[in-house]
Amino acid sequence: MNLTLKIWRQKNANDKGGLVDYKVSDVSPDMSFLEMLDVLNEDLINKDEEPVAFDHDCREGICGMCSLYINGEAHGPDRGITTCQLHMRMFKDGDTIYIEPFRAAAFPVIKDLIVDRTSMDRIQHAGGFISVNTSGNTIDANAIPINKHDADTAFDSATCIGCGACVASCKNSSAMLFVSAKVSQFALLPQGKIEATDRVLNMVKQMDEEGFGNCTNTGACEVECPKGISLENIARMNREYLKASLKG
């Protein structure tokens, strides 16, 4: 395939930035999207031009680093996948592909397609943990009976990889789906009850301080989420937040 790429280039957070056109040829439909960008960068390097900066790590849909906004969609036109799992067979010969970084006030651009998503790390640090007895007299996790439905739902919530697609796809740049998944995975389990009140209050407070928007139940976040995190988590977090507020 021969393609035209319109890629966002930006030297740093203070630079205005803009779309730059590139041509790539002989692209195999079996290539991943990132492999296609590797080919482009190799060509740019051979021409003594600056390669396009983009984030990636595992390339297996696990780490959530490879977050790109492709043709107006977080992670591109496929569903239930991250950018690294997107294959070029989803495009046609002669297509023009727009490639941009995730857009949100809480995700400032570092360079080109790389954004700073440490705001999500700070939310996690505010309450995304449980108390663990490290005295040497720890209780085996399997010794605590947990309802299967609760266990399965908690596991579904825990599959969130923190990629930020929910934020990028939301018209309000809301992180509610991400935060609610992190709250839910502990709220459903007995191990998470100890910090339950502080957790939800602290994480929501940190989310607001980071500059994320509010949720207006559009549902774009669930559609674009590569792990299919459900909107039900937001409802659960709202209940947890109300209970915690009344206790306080």
Side-chain angles (χ1 to χ4, degrees):
M1 293 188 294
N2 298 319
L3 303 166
T4 299
L5 308 179
K6 291 183 177 290
I7 302 178
W8 185 264
R9 302 302 305 264
Q10 186 172 339
K11 292 181 180 178
N12 52 54
N14 298 320
D15 184 42
K16 184 178 180 180
L19 292 169
V20 178
D21 289 7
Y22 296 98
K23 301 285 187 181
V24 289
S25 57
D26 298 324
V27 175
S28 168
D30 295 323
M31 280 183 180
S32 73
F33 199 85
L34 296 190
E35 287 172 336
M36 181 273 296
L37 290 180
D38 289 337
V39 170
L40 170 65
N41 276 345
E42 186 175 356
D43 184 52
L44 292 176
I45 292 169
N46 290 335
K47 295 177 181 176
D48 291 325
E49 296 181 30
E50 182 78 14
V52 177
F54 63 93
D55 244 340
H56 63 94
D57 191 359
C58 74
R59 298 200 178 203
E60 295 180 345
I62 299 170
C63 70
M65 295 292 291
C66 59
S67 302
L68 300 179
Y69 208 65
I70 303 164
N71 284 350
E73 296 181 88
H75 295 304
D78 209 349
R79 289 290 173 266
I81 53 101
T82 54
T83 301
C84 63
Q85 296 172 303
L86 177 66
H87 283 82
M88 299 311 296
R89 65 179 72 97
M90 297 296 297
F91 304 95
K92 295 179 292 186
D93 183 43
D95 275 358
T96 297
I97 304 175
Y98 288 79
I99 309 170
E100 301 173 80
F102 278 3
R103 305 287 190 184
F107 290 167
V109 173
I110 297 174
K111 184 178 181 180
D112 294 342
L113 303 174
I114 301 176
V115 298
D116 182 356
R117 286 173 293 172
T118 53
S119 53
M120 300 182 87
D121 294 333
R122 290 189 289 273
I123 294 172
Q124 186 79 337
H125 295 164
F129 52 83
I130 60 171
S131 292
V132 177
N133 183 350
T134 58
S135 65
N137 297 314
T138 53
I139 300 173
D140 189 277
N142 293 330
I144 305 172
I146 300 172
N147 179 279
K148 187 177 188 308
H149 175 74
D150 290 343
D152 289 346
T153 306
F155 188 84
D156 289 343
S157 301
T159 59
C160 169
I161 57 176
C163 67
C166 52
V167 178
S169 59
C170 177
K171 63 182 181 181
N172 307 318
S173 297
S174 172
M176 287 282 279
L177 193 68
F178 164 73
V179 179
S180 66
K182 299 306 178 184
V183 168
S184 291
Q185 72 184 65
F186 296 123
L188 290 159
L189 301 176
Q191 293 92 336
K193 301 300 182 185
I194 300 171
E195 294 96 355
T197 298
D198 290 339
R199 176 182 301 112
V200 67
L201 293 176
N202 291 341
M203 292 184 78
V204 170
K205 178 184 177 184
Q206 188 65 41
M207 176 183 69
D208 292 339
E209 289 178 355
E210 295 293 345
F212 291 102
N214 292 318
C215 174
T216 50
N217 295 313
T218 304
C221 54
E222 182 178 357
V223 173
E224 300 289 357
C225 176
K227 300 302 176 182
I229 302 298
S230 172
L231 286 174
E232 291 179 3
N233 288 290
I234 296 178
R236 184 178 297 106
M237 185 180 76
N238 286 337
R239 291 195 297 270
E240 291 290 318
Y241 188 84
L242 178 59
K243 287 191 294 183
S245 299
L246 294 174
K247 282 184 182 179

